[in-house]
Amino acid sequence: MNKQPFAASVSVIVPAMNEAENLPHVFATLPDWIDEVILIDGNSTDDTVAVARRLRPGLRVVVQTRRGKGNALIEGFQAARGDIIVMIDADGSTDGREIRSFVATLINGADFAKGSRYAPGGGSDDLSPIRSLGNRFLTGITNLLYGTRYTDLCYGYNAFWRRHLEVLDLDCDGFEIETLMNVRAAQAGLVIREVPSRERSRIHGTSNLHAVRDGWRVLRTIWRERSRGSAVTAHTQVALAK
């Protein structure tokens, strides 16, 4: 595996279902020093896999066995070989050029690098007022229950050391996967640093996210995880990456 510019290998996980039109834009932003890109195909009916393989020689493809973004990411994490795992979206909303900041944050001492659209330097071209309000509400509940100081709970741009997969013990299928990761990372006492990130609008197609349905699943996840283990004093560990 290529070790430059960091002394750790990096795997990028890209869950995708019918994203053939978006992949050229997404892959064009990926740094050339990434060691492996793993596409998790949700049984696409378009040319997603063929386009991805043409764009990225050496691409690894994992065909999803169930449904949902959470399941796709979990299967991608299990297949990853790199020391560091980065998760991005296939719709063009996450900018691969930001991967350097996430990886640098981990190299500089973090266990979990958490993207934030609300941190200074971050932002979003896609968040509607309703979704933003819901996200802030869910973030506030999480901070209250788990002693965290998160600014952005429901964002899918994150990176972490692969060695922490066991302690995260991920076991959900839907969009609540990001919330589950954030809560369990805090419960495990991992060093968490937020990385400012700019979310773009989806380039082509429509999102599978449903604000009310998926917001309810996130809320249930936040409440359910209280019984899994005692929360740690995580506010001393969540900080903005330098």
Side-chain angles (χ1 to χ4, degrees):
M1 287 188 173
N2 172 26
K3 296 297 182 180
Q4 297 296 330
F6 299 103
S9 53
V10 179
S11 298
V12 175
I13 310 301
V14 189
M17 185 173 70
N18 297 329
E19 300 285 8
E21 289 186 285
N22 292 321
L23 288 180
H25 304 275
V26 174
F27 281 19
T29 70
L30 296 179
D32 57 10
W33 46 262
I34 290 172
D35 298 284
E36 69 173 357
V37 178
I38 303 177
L39 181 87
I40 314 303
D41 178 48
N43 296 284
S44 298
T45 56
D46 66 359
D47 294 330
T48 290
V49 173
V51 169
R53 283 182 166 146
R54 184 174 69 248
L55 292 169
R56 189 87 188 186
L59 175 84
R60 295 177 59 202
V61 175
V62 173
V63 178
Q64 190 173 351
T65 59
R66 295 210 305 269
R67 295 177 61 87
K69 183 179 182 181
N71 171 252
L73 286 170
I74 290 170
E75 295 193 357
F77 298 160
Q78 292 171 344
R81 299 169 181 161
D83 302 314
I84 289 172
I85 296 175
V86 183
M87 45 193 277
I88 68 171
D89 291 333
D91 60 5
S93 61
T94 47
D95 188 345
R97 287 166 292 210
E98 294 180 356
I99 290 175
R100 178 181 288 268
S101 297
F102 283 86
V103 174
T105 297
L106 297 174
I107 295 293
N108 290 330
D111 296 312
F112 192 93
K114 182 186 179 315
S116 174
R117 296 162 291 186
Y118 297 105
S124 176
D125 301 325
D126 186 57
L127 269 176
S128 67
I130 293 297
R131 284 179 55 211
S132 181
L133 180 63
N135 187 18
R136 289 181 181 274
F137 170 73
L138 294 167
T139 301
I141 291 177
T142 299
N143 289 339
L144 180 65
L145 293 179
Y146 296 98
T148 51
R149 289 182 176 175
Y150 293 140
T151 63
D152 191 355
L153 184 71
C154 306
Y155 188 41
Y157 206 161
N158 301 292
F160 57 95
W161 291 97
R162 182 166 58 91
R163 62 176 179 263
H164 296 311
L165 273 175
E166 184 174 356
V167 73
L168 292 175
D169 190 26
L170 301 170
D171 55 359
C172 70
D173 287 345
F175 281 99
E176 69 274 16
I177 184 72
E178 293 99 357
T179 296
L180 187 67
M181 295 177 73
N182 293 333
V183 169
R184 290 190 178 173
Q187 286 180 314
L190 299 185
V191 177
I192 305 163
R193 291 181 187 158
E194 290 195 328
V195 178
S197 177
R198 182 79 194 186
E199 180 186 38
R200 272 66 178 178
S201 298
R202 165 181 277 275
I203 301 172
H204 299 287
T206 57
S207 173
N208 292 316
L209 176 69
H210 297 276
V212 175
R213 181 197 67 191
D214 293 310
W216 177 244
R217 292 181 67 159
V218 167
L219 184 59
R220 285 190 299 174
T221 298
I222 294 169
W223 188 256
R224 184 193 68 220
E225 288 299 302
R226 293 185 69 215
S227 63
R228 185 176 184 270
S230 58
V232 300
T233 308
H235 65 271
T236 59
Q237 299 171 348
V238 180
L240 185 64
K242 298 294 188 291

